[in-house]
Amino acid sequence: VSNEIKRSSILKMPVVTVSVVSAETENIVFEDEVMKELCVKAFDTNGDGELSYTEAAAVTDLSKMTLTRRTFKTFNEFQYFTSVKTVPSEYFYNCSSLTSINIPESVTSIGEYTFQDCSGLTSINIPKGVTSIRSNTFYGCSSLTSISIPESVTSIGSSTFSGCSSLTSISMPESVTSIGEGAFSGCS
């Protein structure tokens, strides 16, 4: 048996379709439709009715998104907003339906009253770059059961965890040198 190799012949090959997905075009799948609607309205730059990872990563200022409808339950997709440095004061104030949120590691500042009266919030991560937890940040978060404060935090403001009646565990590093008045009042 001999094999013959034809060097100048053209062979037909089957057509193969390969879908190319990149971070530039891949859209975020939101757990909560209300939050998706709010994010798309504020940050969808290409007008396709979706929010891509690239569009989220380009956001530096949350003030373009107004949280007038407070019926969203989760915002774990917040972790993809990797250029956000500050969560403004009172931003999630009284979002009582909010149960979970993942704050991006890029955040270094969380304003006063930011999560006040988020009574459905059960857990939250505080990014490692945050140096202080300001006054009333988690005031009235009555479903919050535990919180871990990163080593970067040096101060906790007044009434920060006041009214967190379900709080049973807190991990506080030695880096904390200042705790404001009433920081844990009502933590029964």
Short mmCIF file of all heavy atoms in Angstrom, two decimals, residues 87-95 98 101 103 107-119 121 124-127 130-142 144 147 149 153 155-164 181-184:
data_model
loop_
_atom_site.label_atom_id
_atom_site.label_comp_id
_atom_site.label_asym_id
_atom_site.label_seq_id
_atom_site.Cartn_x
_atom_site.Cartn_y
_atom_site.Cartn_z
N VAL A 87 -18.79 55.19 47.04
CA VAL A 87 -20.23 54.97 47.11
C VAL A 87 -20.76 56.19 47.85
O VAL A 87 -20.44 56.41 49.01
CB VAL A 87 -20.60 53.67 47.85
CG1 VAL A 87 -22.12 53.48 47.85
CG2 VAL A 87 -19.92 52.47 47.20
N PRO A 88 -21.55 57.03 47.16
CA PRO A 88 -21.98 58.30 47.75
C PRO A 88 -22.81 58.16 49.02
O PRO A 88 -23.48 57.14 49.24
CB PRO A 88 -22.82 58.94 46.64
CG PRO A 88 -22.50 58.21 45.41
CD PRO A 88 -22.08 56.83 45.82
N SER A 89 -22.80 59.19 49.82
CA SER A 89 -23.64 59.23 51.03
C SER A 89 -25.09 59.02 50.64
O SER A 89 -25.54 59.52 49.61
CB SER A 89 -23.49 60.58 51.73
OG SER A 89 -22.18 60.72 52.23
N GLU A 90 -25.80 58.26 51.46
CA GLU A 90 -27.23 58.00 51.31
C GLU A 90 -27.61 57.28 50.02
O GLU A 90 -28.78 57.21 49.67
CB GLU A 90 -28.04 59.31 51.40
CG GLU A 90 -27.84 60.04 52.70
CD GLU A 90 -28.65 61.33 52.79
OE1 GLU A 90 -29.72 61.43 52.16
OE2 GLU A 90 -28.20 62.24 53.50
N TYR A 91 -26.66 56.71 49.31
CA TYR A 91 -26.94 56.13 47.99
C TYR A 91 -27.97 55.00 48.04
O TYR A 91 -28.88 54.95 47.23
CB TYR A 91 -25.66 55.68 47.31
CG TYR A 91 -25.86 55.45 45.83
CD1 TYR A 91 -26.10 56.52 44.99
CD2 TYR A 91 -25.85 54.18 45.30
CE1 TYR A 91 -26.32 56.34 43.64
CE2 TYR A 91 -26.06 53.99 43.95
CZ TYR A 91 -26.30 55.07 43.12
OH TYR A 91 -26.52 54.87 41.79
N PHE A 92 -27.80 54.07 48.95
CA PHE A 92 -28.75 52.96 49.07
C PHE A 92 -29.70 53.16 50.26
O PHE A 92 -30.34 52.22 50.72
CB PHE A 92 -28.01 51.62 49.22
CG PHE A 92 -27.22 51.25 47.99
CD1 PHE A 92 -25.86 51.47 47.91
CD2 PHE A 92 -27.86 50.67 46.91
CE1 PHE A 92 -25.14 51.12 46.79
CE2 PHE A 92 -27.15 50.30 45.77
CZ PHE A 92 -25.78 50.53 45.71
N TYR A 93 -29.78 54.37 50.75
CA TYR A 93 -30.61 54.71 51.90
C TYR A 93 -32.05 54.20 51.72
O TYR A 93 -32.68 54.42 50.70
CB TYR A 93 -30.62 56.23 52.08
CG TYR A 93 -31.49 56.73 53.20
CD1 TYR A 93 -31.01 56.76 54.50
CD2 TYR A 93 -32.80 57.14 52.97
CE1 TYR A 93 -31.80 57.22 55.55
CE2 TYR A 93 -33.60 57.61 54.01
CZ TYR A 93 -33.10 57.64 55.29
OH TYR A 93 -33.89 58.08 56.33
N ASN A 94 -32.53 53.47 52.71
CA ASN A 94 -33.90 52.97 52.77
C ASN A 94 -34.25 52.00 51.64
O ASN A 94 -35.42 51.90 51.26
CB ASN A 94 -34.89 54.14 52.80
CG ASN A 94 -36.23 53.71 53.36
OD1 ASN A 94 -36.33 52.77 54.13
ND2 ASN A 94 -37.29 54.40 52.96
N CYS A 95 -33.28 51.33 51.09
CA CYS A 95 -33.56 50.28 50.10
C CYS A 95 -33.87 49.00 50.88
O CYS A 95 -33.04 48.09 50.99
CB CYS A 95 -32.37 50.09 49.16
SG CYS A 95 -32.09 51.49 48.07
N LEU A 98 -33.33 45.37 49.51
CA LEU A 98 -31.98 44.92 49.19
C LEU A 98 -31.53 43.87 50.21
O LEU A 98 -31.49 44.13 51.40
CB LEU A 98 -31.01 46.11 49.19
CG LEU A 98 -29.55 45.82 48.87
CD1 LEU A 98 -29.40 45.31 47.44
CD2 LEU A 98 -28.70 47.07 49.08
N ILE A 101 -25.36 42.58 48.27
CA ILE A 101 -24.63 43.45 47.36
C ILE A 101 -23.15 43.10 47.45
O ILE A 101 -22.65 42.78 48.53
CB ILE A 101 -24.87 44.95 47.70
CG1 ILE A 101 -24.24 45.86 46.66
CG2 ILE A 101 -24.41 45.28 49.10
CD1 ILE A 101 -24.66 47.31 46.78
N ILE A 103 -19.70 44.86 46.78
CA ILE A 103 -19.03 46.12 46.49
C ILE A 103 -17.70 45.81 45.82
O ILE A 103 -16.95 44.96 46.29
CB ILE A 103 -18.81 46.92 47.80
CG1 ILE A 103 -20.15 47.21 48.47
CG2 ILE A 103 -18.06 48.22 47.51
CD1 ILE A 103 -20.04 47.84 49.83
N VAL A 107 -13.47 50.26 45.44
CA VAL A 107 -14.08 51.26 46.32
C VAL A 107 -13.18 51.50 47.54
O VAL A 107 -12.79 50.57 48.23
CB VAL A 107 -15.50 50.84 46.77
CG1 VAL A 107 -16.03 51.74 47.88
CG2 VAL A 107 -16.45 50.87 45.58
N THR A 108 -12.87 52.79 47.76
CA THR A 108 -12.06 53.18 48.92
C THR A 108 -12.84 54.03 49.91
O THR A 108 -12.38 54.27 51.01
CB THR A 108 -10.80 53.95 48.47
OG1 THR A 108 -11.21 55.10 47.71
CG2 THR A 108 -9.89 53.08 47.62
N SER A 109 -14.02 54.50 49.50
CA SER A 109 -14.81 55.38 50.36
C SER A 109 -16.30 55.04 50.28
O SER A 109 -16.86 54.97 49.19
CB SER A 109 -14.57 56.83 49.94
OG SER A 109 -15.39 57.70 50.69
N ILE A 110 -16.90 54.84 51.44
CA ILE A 110 -18.35 54.62 51.54
C ILE A 110 -18.90 55.75 52.39
O ILE A 110 -18.47 55.96 53.52
CB ILE A 110 -18.66 53.25 52.19
CG1 ILE A 110 -18.06 52.11 51.34
CG2 ILE A 110 -20.16 53.05 52.35
CD1 ILE A 110 -18.16 50.74 51.97
N GLY A 111 -19.83 56.50 51.83
CA GLY A 111 -20.35 57.69 52.48
C GLY A 111 -21.23 57.43 53.69
O GLY A 111 -21.61 56.29 53.97
N GLU A 112 -21.57 58.49 54.39
CA GLU A 112 -22.46 58.41 55.55
C GLU A 112 -23.86 58.00 55.10
O GLU A 112 -24.30 58.36 54.00
CB GLU A 112 -22.52 59.76 56.26
CG GLU A 112 -21.22 60.16 56.90
CD GLU A 112 -21.30 61.51 57.57
OE1 GLU A 112 -22.07 62.38 57.10
OE2 GLU A 112 -20.59 61.71 58.57
N TYR A 113 -24.57 57.28 55.94
CA TYR A 113 -25.96 56.87 55.71
C TYR A 113 -26.13 56.00 54.46
O TYR A 113 -27.25 55.78 54.02
CB TYR A 113 -26.89 58.09 55.59
CG TYR A 113 -26.80 59.07 56.72
CD1 TYR A 113 -26.00 60.20 56.62
CD2 TYR A 113 -27.51 58.87 57.89
CE1 TYR A 113 -25.92 61.12 57.66
CE2 TYR A 113 -27.44 59.78 58.94
CZ TYR A 113 -26.64 60.90 58.82
OH TYR A 113 -26.56 61.79 59.85
N THR A 114 -25.06 55.51 53.87
CA THR A 114 -25.13 54.82 52.59
C THR A 114 -26.10 53.66 52.59
O THR A 114 -26.88 53.49 51.67
CB THR A 114 -23.73 54.33 52.16
OG1 THR A 114 -22.88 55.47 52.07
CG2 THR A 114 -23.78 53.64 50.82
N PHE A 115 -26.09 52.83 53.62
CA PHE A 115 -26.99 51.67 53.68
C PHE A 115 -28.01 51.80 54.82
O PHE A 115 -28.62 50.81 55.23
CB PHE A 115 -26.18 50.38 53.85
CG PHE A 115 -25.29 50.08 52.67
CD1 PHE A 115 -23.94 50.40 52.69
CD2 PHE A 115 -25.82 49.49 51.53
CE1 PHE A 115 -23.13 50.13 51.59
CE2 PHE A 115 -25.02 49.21 50.43
CZ PHE A 115 -23.67 49.54 50.47
N GLN A 116 -28.20 52.98 55.32
CA GLN A 116 -29.13 53.17 56.44
C GLN A 116 -30.52 52.65 56.07
O GLN A 116 -31.03 52.90 54.99
CB GLN A 116 -29.23 54.64 56.84
CG GLN A 116 -30.16 54.83 58.02
CD GLN A 116 -30.15 56.24 58.58
OE1 GLN A 116 -29.16 56.95 58.46
NE2 GLN A 116 -31.25 56.63 59.18
N ASP A 117 -31.10 51.93 57.01
CA ASP A 117 -32.44 51.36 56.90
C ASP A 117 -32.61 50.37 55.74
O ASP A 117 -33.72 50.18 55.24
CB ASP A 117 -33.51 52.46 56.83
CG ASP A 117 -33.58 53.25 58.13
OD1 ASP A 117 -33.32 52.66 59.20
OD2 ASP A 117 -33.88 54.46 58.08
N CYS A 118 -31.53 49.75 55.33
CA CYS A 118 -31.62 48.63 54.39
C CYS A 118 -31.93 47.40 55.23
O CYS A 118 -31.08 46.55 55.50
CB CYS A 118 -30.31 48.45 53.61
SG CYS A 118 -29.97 49.78 52.44
N SER A 119 -33.17 47.33 55.68
CA SER A 119 -33.57 46.33 56.68
C SER A 119 -33.53 44.89 56.17
O SER A 119 -33.53 43.96 56.95
CB SER A 119 -34.97 46.66 57.21
OG SER A 119 -35.89 46.74 56.13
N LEU A 121 -30.98 43.73 54.23
CA LEU A 121 -29.58 43.40 53.97
C LEU A 121 -29.06 42.42 55.00
O LEU A 121 -29.06 42.70 56.20
CB LEU A 121 -28.74 44.69 53.98
CG LEU A 121 -27.30 44.60 53.51
CD1 LEU A 121 -27.24 44.19 52.04
CD2 LEU A 121 -26.60 45.94 53.70
N ILE A 124 -22.73 41.79 53.72
CA ILE A 124 -22.04 42.79 52.89
C ILE A 124 -20.55 42.59 53.03
O ILE A 124 -20.06 42.19 54.08
CB ILE A 124 -22.46 44.23 53.27
CG1 ILE A 124 -21.99 45.21 52.21
CG2 ILE A 124 -21.97 44.60 54.65
CD1 ILE A 124 -22.70 46.53 52.25
N ASN A 125 -19.83 42.85 51.94
CA ASN A 125 -18.37 42.82 52.00
C ASN A 125 -17.87 44.26 51.99
O ASN A 125 -18.37 45.09 51.25
CB ASN A 125 -17.78 42.04 50.83
CG ASN A 125 -18.05 42.73 49.49
OD1 ASN A 125 -19.18 43.10 49.18
ND2 ASN A 125 -17.02 42.91 48.69
N ILE A 126 -16.94 44.55 52.84
CA ILE A 126 -16.32 45.88 52.85
C ILE A 126 -14.96 45.70 52.18
O ILE A 126 -14.14 44.91 52.65
CB ILE A 126 -16.17 46.43 54.28
CG1 ILE A 126 -17.55 46.60 54.91
CG2 ILE A 126 -15.41 47.75 54.27
CD1 ILE A 126 -17.52 46.99 56.37
N PRO A 127 -14.72 46.40 51.07
CA PRO A 127 -13.46 46.23 50.34
C PRO A 127 -12.23 46.58 51.18
O PRO A 127 -12.30 47.40 52.10
CB PRO A 127 -13.60 47.21 49.16
CG PRO A 127 -15.05 47.42 49.00
CD PRO A 127 -15.63 47.32 50.39
N VAL A 130 -10.97 50.38 51.90
CA VAL A 130 -11.74 51.34 52.71
C VAL A 130 -11.00 51.59 54.01
O VAL A 130 -10.59 50.65 54.70
CB VAL A 130 -13.16 50.80 52.99
CG1 VAL A 130 -13.92 51.68 53.96
CG2 VAL A 130 -13.94 50.67 51.68
N THR A 131 -10.80 52.88 54.36
CA THR A 131 -10.05 53.21 55.56
C THR A 131 -10.92 53.62 56.74
O THR A 131 -10.49 53.55 57.88
CB THR A 131 -9.03 54.34 55.28
OG1 THR A 131 -9.74 55.47 54.77
CG2 THR A 131 -7.98 53.89 54.28
N SER A 132 -12.16 54.05 56.45
CA SER A 132 -13.05 54.39 57.56
C SER A 132 -14.48 54.03 57.19
O SER A 132 -14.87 54.06 56.02
CB SER A 132 -12.96 55.88 57.90
OG SER A 132 -13.49 56.67 56.86
N ILE A 133 -15.23 53.67 58.21
CA ILE A 133 -16.66 53.40 58.03
C ILE A 133 -17.35 54.57 58.72
O ILE A 133 -17.23 54.75 59.93
CB ILE A 133 -17.06 52.05 58.64
CG1 ILE A 133 -16.24 50.93 57.99
CG2 ILE A 133 -18.55 51.80 58.42
CD1 ILE A 133 -16.45 49.57 58.60
N ARG A 134 -18.03 55.36 57.94
CA ARG A 134 -18.56 56.63 58.43
C ARG A 134 -19.83 56.49 59.25
O ARG A 134 -20.45 55.43 59.31
CB ARG A 134 -18.78 57.56 57.25
CG ARG A 134 -17.47 57.86 56.54
CD ARG A 134 -17.63 58.89 55.50
NE ARG A 134 -16.33 59.13 54.87
CZ ARG A 134 -16.20 59.77 53.75
NH1 ARG A 134 -17.25 60.26 53.14
NH2 ARG A 134 -15.01 59.94 53.24
N SER A 135 -20.25 57.59 59.82
CA SER A 135 -21.42 57.64 60.69
C SER A 135 -22.67 57.12 59.97
O SER A 135 -22.91 57.44 58.81
CB SER A 135 -21.68 59.07 61.14
OG SER A 135 -20.60 59.54 61.90
N ASN A 136 -23.43 56.33 60.69
CA ASN A 136 -24.73 55.83 60.25
C ASN A 136 -24.70 54.98 58.98
O ASN A 136 -25.75 54.74 58.38
CB ASN A 136 -25.72 57.00 60.05
CG ASN A 136 -25.95 57.76 61.33
OD1 ASN A 136 -26.49 57.23 62.28
ND2 ASN A 136 -25.50 59.00 61.34
N THR A 137 -23.56 54.52 58.55
CA THR A 137 -23.46 53.77 57.30
C THR A 137 -24.41 52.58 57.27
O THR A 137 -25.08 52.34 56.27
CB THR A 137 -22.02 53.29 57.05
OG1 THR A 137 -21.17 54.44 57.01
CG2 THR A 137 -21.90 52.55 55.74
N PHE A 138 -24.48 51.81 58.35
CA PHE A 138 -25.34 50.63 58.40
C PHE A 138 -26.46 50.78 59.44
O PHE A 138 -27.05 49.79 59.87
CB PHE A 138 -24.51 49.38 58.70
CG PHE A 138 -23.48 49.11 57.64
CD1 PHE A 138 -22.14 49.43 57.85
CD2 PHE A 138 -23.84 48.55 56.43
CE1 PHE A 138 -21.19 49.20 56.87
CE2 PHE A 138 -22.90 48.31 55.45
CZ PHE A 138 -21.57 48.63 55.66
N TYR A 139 -26.75 51.97 59.83
CA TYR A 139 -27.79 52.24 60.83
C TYR A 139 -29.12 51.60 60.40
O TYR A 139 -29.58 51.78 59.29
CB TYR A 139 -27.98 53.75 60.95
CG TYR A 139 -28.97 54.19 62.00
CD1 TYR A 139 -28.54 54.62 63.24
CD2 TYR A 139 -30.34 54.15 61.76
CE1 TYR A 139 -29.44 55.04 64.21
CE2 TYR A 139 -31.25 54.55 62.72
CZ TYR A 139 -30.80 55.00 63.94
OH TYR A 139 -31.69 55.40 64.90
N GLY A 140 -29.71 50.82 61.28
CA GLY A 140 -31.02 50.23 61.02
C GLY A 140 -31.02 49.04 60.08
O GLY A 140 -32.07 48.63 59.59
N CYS A 141 -29.86 48.46 59.81
CA CYS A 141 -29.80 47.25 58.98
C CYS A 141 -30.12 46.06 59.88
O CYS A 141 -29.23 45.31 60.30
CB CYS A 141 -28.42 47.11 58.33
SG CYS A 141 -28.08 48.36 57.08
N SER A 142 -31.38 45.92 60.19
CA SER A 142 -31.83 44.99 61.22
C SER A 142 -31.69 43.51 60.86
O SER A 142 -31.82 42.66 61.73
CB SER A 142 -33.28 45.29 61.60
OG SER A 142 -34.11 45.25 60.45
N LEU A 144 -28.84 42.37 59.23
CA LEU A 144 -27.41 42.12 59.12
C LEU A 144 -26.96 41.26 60.31
O LEU A 144 -27.13 41.66 61.45
CB LEU A 144 -26.66 43.46 59.12
CG LEU A 144 -25.20 43.48 58.70
CD1 LEU A 144 -25.04 43.02 57.26
CD2 LEU A 144 -24.64 44.88 58.85
N ILE A 147 -20.47 40.86 60.23
CA ILE A 147 -19.69 41.74 59.36
C ILE A 147 -18.22 41.56 59.68
O ILE A 147 -17.84 41.37 60.84
CB ILE A 147 -20.13 43.21 59.49
CG1 ILE A 147 -19.57 44.02 58.34
CG2 ILE A 147 -19.79 43.80 60.83
CD1 ILE A 147 -20.37 45.25 58.00
N ILE A 149 -14.65 43.45 59.17
CA ILE A 149 -14.03 44.74 58.85
C ILE A 149 -12.59 44.47 58.42
O ILE A 149 -11.84 43.83 59.16
CB ILE A 149 -14.10 45.69 60.06
CG1 ILE A 149 -15.57 45.95 60.40
CG2 ILE A 149 -13.35 46.98 59.78
CD1 ILE A 149 -15.79 46.72 61.67
N VAL A 153 -9.26 49.46 57.64
CA VAL A 153 -10.12 50.38 58.38
C VAL A 153 -9.46 50.81 59.68
O VAL A 153 -9.01 49.98 60.47
CB VAL A 153 -11.51 49.75 58.66
CG1 VAL A 153 -12.35 50.65 59.55
CG2 VAL A 153 -12.24 49.49 57.36
N SER A 155 -11.03 53.70 61.46
CA SER A 155 -12.05 54.34 62.30
C SER A 155 -13.46 53.92 61.91
O SER A 155 -13.74 53.65 60.74
CB SER A 155 -11.92 55.86 62.23
OG SER A 155 -12.22 56.32 60.94
N ILE A 156 -14.31 53.88 62.92
CA ILE A 156 -15.73 53.57 62.76
C ILE A 156 -16.48 54.76 63.34
O ILE A 156 -16.27 55.14 64.48
CB ILE A 156 -16.10 52.26 63.48
CG1 ILE A 156 -15.35 51.08 62.84
CG2 ILE A 156 -17.60 52.02 63.46
CD1 ILE A 156 -15.50 49.77 63.56
N GLY A 157 -17.37 55.34 62.52
CA GLY A 157 -18.08 56.55 62.92
C GLY A 157 -19.18 56.30 63.94
O GLY A 157 -19.51 55.16 64.27
N SER A 158 -19.81 57.37 64.38
CA SER A 158 -20.89 57.26 65.36
C SER A 158 -22.13 56.63 64.73
O SER A 158 -22.41 56.85 63.55
CB SER A 158 -21.22 58.64 65.93
OG SER A 158 -21.66 59.50 64.90
N SER A 159 -22.82 55.83 65.51
CA SER A 159 -24.06 55.16 65.12
C SER A 159 -23.94 54.29 63.86
O SER A 159 -24.92 54.00 63.20
CB SER A 159 -25.19 56.18 64.92
OG SER A 159 -25.41 56.92 66.09
N THR A 160 -22.73 53.89 63.52
CA THR A 160 -22.49 53.13 62.30
C THR A 160 -23.33 51.86 62.22
O THR A 160 -23.93 51.57 61.20
CB THR A 160 -21.00 52.76 62.16
OG1 THR A 160 -20.26 53.97 62.12
CG2 THR A 160 -20.73 51.97 60.91
N PHE A 161 -23.38 51.09 63.29
CA PHE A 161 -24.14 49.84 63.31
C PHE A 161 -25.34 49.92 64.25
O PHE A 161 -25.91 48.91 64.63
CB PHE A 161 -23.24 48.67 63.71
CG PHE A 161 -22.10 48.44 62.74
CD1 PHE A 161 -20.82 48.89 63.02
CD2 PHE A 161 -22.32 47.78 61.55
CE1 PHE A 161 -19.78 48.69 62.13
CE2 PHE A 161 -21.29 47.56 60.65
CZ PHE A 161 -20.01 48.02 60.95
N SER A 162 -25.73 51.10 64.61
CA SER A 162 -26.85 51.29 65.53
C SER A 162 -28.13 50.69 64.94
O SER A 162 -28.44 50.87 63.77
CB SER A 162 -27.05 52.79 65.77
OG SER A 162 -28.11 52.99 66.67
N GLY A 163 -28.85 49.95 65.76
CA GLY A 163 -30.09 49.34 65.31
C GLY A 163 -29.92 48.07 64.51
O GLY A 163 -30.88 47.55 63.94
N CYS A 164 -28.71 47.55 64.44
CA CYS A 164 -28.47 46.27 63.75
C CYS A 164 -28.78 45.15 64.74
O CYS A 164 -27.88 44.48 65.26
CB CYS A 164 -27.03 46.19 63.24
SG CYS A 164 -26.65 47.39 61.95
N GLU A 181 -19.32 57.37 69.02
CA GLU A 181 -20.36 57.22 70.02
C GLU A 181 -21.56 56.45 69.44
O GLU A 181 -22.01 56.72 68.34
CB GLU A 181 -20.82 58.60 70.48
CG GLU A 181 -21.84 58.57 71.59
CD GLU A 181 -22.21 59.96 72.04
OE1 GLU A 181 -21.40 60.89 71.89
OE2 GLU A 181 -23.33 60.10 72.56
N GLY A 182 -22.06 55.50 70.19
CA GLY A 182 -23.25 54.74 69.81
C GLY A 182 -23.06 53.87 68.58
O GLY A 182 -24.04 53.49 67.94
N ALA A 183 -21.83 53.54 68.24
CA ALA A 183 -21.56 52.76 67.03
C ALA A 183 -22.31 51.43 67.01
O ALA A 183 -22.71 50.95 65.95
CB ALA A 183 -20.06 52.52 66.88
N PHE A 184 -22.53 50.84 68.20
CA PHE A 184 -23.19 49.54 68.25
C PHE A 184 -24.46 49.60 69.14
O PHE A 184 -24.92 48.56 69.62
CB PHE A 184 -22.23 48.48 68.80
CG PHE A 184 -21.05 48.25 67.87
CD1 PHE A 184 -19.83 48.88 68.12
CD2 PHE A 184 -21.18 47.45 66.77
CE1 PHE A 184 -18.76 48.70 67.27
CE2 PHE A 184 -20.11 47.25 65.91
CZ PHE A 184 -18.90 47.88 66.17
#
